[in-house]
Amino acid sequence: MPQKLTLKKIAQDLKVSISTVSKALRDSHEISVETRDKIKDYAKKYNYKPNNIALSLKNQKTKKIGVIIPEIVHHFFATVISGIEKVANDKGYQVIICLSGESFDKEVVNMDMLANGSIDGFIMSLSKETLERQDYHHLREVLNQGMPIVMFDRAVEGIPCDKIIIDDVAAAQSATEFLLRKGKSKLAIISTVDYVNVGRLRTQGFKEALLKRGIEVSDKDVLKIEDTENSTTIIENFLKDTDYDGIIAVNELFAVTASKALQKLGKSIPDDASIIAFTDGMLSKYASPTLTTIGQKGEDMGGLAAAKLIERLEAPQTIEESYETVIVKTSLVERESTP
Amino acid sequence: MPQKLTLKKIAQDLKVSISTVSKALRDSHEISVETRDKIKDYAKKYNYKPNNIALSLKNQKTKKIGVIIPEIVHHFFATVISGIEKVANDKGYQVIICLSGESFDKEVVNMDMLANGSIDGFIMSLSKETLERQDYHHLREVLNQGMPIVMFDRAVEGIPCDKIIIDDVAAAQSATEFLLRKGKSKLAIISTVDYVNVGRLRTQGFKEALLKRGIEVSDKDVLKIEDTENSTTIIENFLKDTDYDGIIAVNELFAVTASKALQKLGKSIPDDASIIAFTDGMLSKYASPTLTTIGQKGEDMGGLAAAKLIERLEAPQTIEESYETVIVKTSLVERESTP
DNA sequence: TTGTATGCGTTATCAG
DNA sequence: CTGATAACGCATACAA
């Protein structure tokens, strides 16, 4: 196993100084063509590559971006990563991923680890526990050190950073209006508990759309699920009690569960009841019937987040403390679960 | 934005030398209790954390592991990452992820980038294109530098490294036998092209199981799909031509597509035709009917791969050139698509 | 008990 | 045109 080639070793082998080698390899004009070629040939022959760690230490930048998300097995997050990775790689950055597992402590620990020189900036979506506690000291600490953060999807107010989100309220509104236009009138939403902001905002949009039409909204038509654990039973019971003809779900899982529950109750979809799910993933595409969804454009969001972060990292001297919130347009993907 | 605290700055502020600070913070006995406490208090107060890059350069190890996989939006790979990440984090390692997007070139580029000091070792699953070309020079180069690799799932022979795989042949065999035992006799397998080794091996297991029962196997009963692009039409045509009563698919996507195609043809599942899918993911769990699967234990595989890699990284002086291939047991998860 | 010097691999500045 | 030196942040062998 031949040791990794360094400038030092090349210098020794060729009996020149380290700095000559360094300059030659960077095509400096102050090196004679002969020595330069000699060195470059040697380097190419033995496949010299500069050591990234040394460069990072020297340049005070790692060309790496840290991504902290709750889970990677959720399709939406996987698409976001995919988008981040594509843009980042194009611009010469690498992606370090840490999962919080929806835990506040793990989010903090991971952030601390990465913040100590491993990366140049963060892209993140907050854990449920963090949203519940509303404790953002770890974000503030990192920002105070001058390290930028871009939040996506599960973002919060009051943190000086860029954000990439969708307009959850508007998306839920238009989905609701879509169902109403299709002649559905007894609607329900299957959402999360309120501290998960996307759940809260989507519920808000749902309610607003109904009120605008002069339709009374009862809290009984809003199902708030805390855990995915036994969501099946909860959803089944919820749908058994009332005769809904239109359901909006804040994620695919709840949607397909609702679809199955309704069919079990003898209802036909979309005729007896229609369904719209947030997130346009695999599940909706392959469910029976296939589900109409609100596409969240995970890959786009990831790409935008990465572009934004890198732009900030490479900005000459960002004294300007103006942060941007990009709202990504959602799109309604119509499938069999709506008429 | 207060600059990041370094040993140097602490030393200046406290008017001691850098090495004194360093030693004090590492609880060296050669430092007096007073100065030690003074320094530790100061460090804690201003939240000193050693710089990872500097440590990496000094120690010649980064405590990071590089993961290169084809795609992250495939549920199987997402579960593997999840497993890797858990084990790695527990042992103080971080995970850098690069996607090859099934491209040979991108795999090579990513490997080169990571190999230059960014990480201590690799965990990877080869891209389709790499398998097709059978060009593994990039792996050999990395191994020659003394950097260990652990391959999982899409592993190949002849590379001196550890491997974490499932026994694809045996798993396909037992799934086939399972269908035969349930009284199915006209079986087919929906697989990938042969250069994707998992597809080839699963097809082999399928054939062997049938031959063992003295059942003739025709190549017409093996559908080899190259791309997921228009797999739906291909599968529909395939199933229309022959009256199969049992289908094995090498992934969930093909399985659920087959299920829908069969139902469209007026067949009832599992009575008229049964289905078994490789990979126990979301799709199978929420399909209608739910699909029986061969669980690949992605999270376990990832965990094992990480454990194996870290074990090798931390082994005192591994001159022993003995590599291990761990075969992870699969499990049949019975659901509605089989009787 | 404390401090100085050296090295990890690289680049940049300055002298020769 | 070439080379010596310092610096990035840290750890450690060796002096004082």
Side-chain angles (χ1 to χ4, degrees), chain A residues 13 17 49 57 72 75 92 107 109 162 180 200 205-206 208 212 257 262:
Chain A
D13 293 353
S17 78
K49 297 272 175 54
L57 187 59
I72 205 170
H75 186 262
E107 189 173 288
V109 168
D162 298 308
L180 292 170
R200 183 182 65 246
F206 170 77
E208 283 176 9
K212 223 192 287 180
T257 305
L262 287 168

Side-chain angles (χ1 to χ4, degrees), chain A residues 3-4 12-13 19 30 36 53 55 65 69 96 117 130 136 146 183 195 199 225 230 255 272 306 310 315:
Chain A
Q3 292 223 57
K4 193 86 181 107
Q12 286 169 348
D13 293 353
S19 47
E30 33 177 310
R36 199 185 52 176
I53 297 290
L55 287 178
I65 71 190
I69 53 172
I96 299 190
T130 307
Y136 311 122
Y195 62 75
I225 297 184
N230 34 19
D272 298 336
I310 292 172

Side-chain angles (χ1 to χ4, degrees), chain B residues 17 19-20 23 30 32 35 58 60:
Chain B
S17 78
S19 55
T20 304
K23 285 173 187 162
E30 32 177 304
S32 73
T35 36
K58 181 107 203 42
Q60 298 292 65

Side-chain angles (χ1 to χ4, degrees), chain A residues 128 188-204 206-207 217-235 238-239 244 247-251 254:
Chain A
K128 275 188 194 169
I189 185 167
I190 303 180
S191 182
T192 63
V193 282
D194 272 348
Y195 62 75
V196 178
N197 51 355
V198 297
R200 183 182 65 246
L201 295 170
R202 289 166 193 179
T203 301
Q204 182 189 329
F206 170 77
K207 286 181 174 172
V217 187
S218 158
D219 275 344
K220 283 167 71 180
D221 302 332
V222 178
L223 178 59
K224 294 178 185 173
I225 297 184
E226 172 130 28
D227 233 18
T228 45
E229 285 296 300
N230 34 19
S231 53
T232 306
T233 327
I234 298 174
I235 290 174
F238 176 74
L239 294 174
Y244 295 109
I247 305 285
I248 290 177
V250 297
N251 62 43
F254 293 170

Side-chain angles (χ1 to χ4, degrees), chain B residues 163-233:
Chain B
K163 302 180 183 82
I164 314 286
I165 54 174
I166 62 169
D167 189 338
D168 286 291
V169 178
Q173 266 188 16
S174 77
T176 310
E177 280 158 12
F178 179 85
L179 287 179
L180 292 171
R181 267 204 311 281
K182 294 289 184 182
K184 306 295 178 181
S185 56
K186 187 62 185 162
L187 306 185
I189 185 167
I190 303 178
S191 183
T192 63
V193 282
D194 272 349
Y195 61 74
V196 179
N197 51 357
V198 298
R200 184 181 66 247
L201 295 171
R202 289 166 193 178
T203 302
Q204 183 188 327
F206 170 75
K207 287 180 173 174
E208 284 175 8
L210 289 174
L211 287 173
K212 222 191 288 180
R213 284 282 197 109
I215 301 175
E216 200 70 35
V217 187
S218 159
D219 273 346
K220 285 167 66 179
D221 301 333
V222 178
L223 177 60
K224 294 177 185 173
I225 298 184
E226 173 130 28
D227 232 22
T228 46
E229 286 297 300
N230 35 19
S231 53
T232 305
T233 329

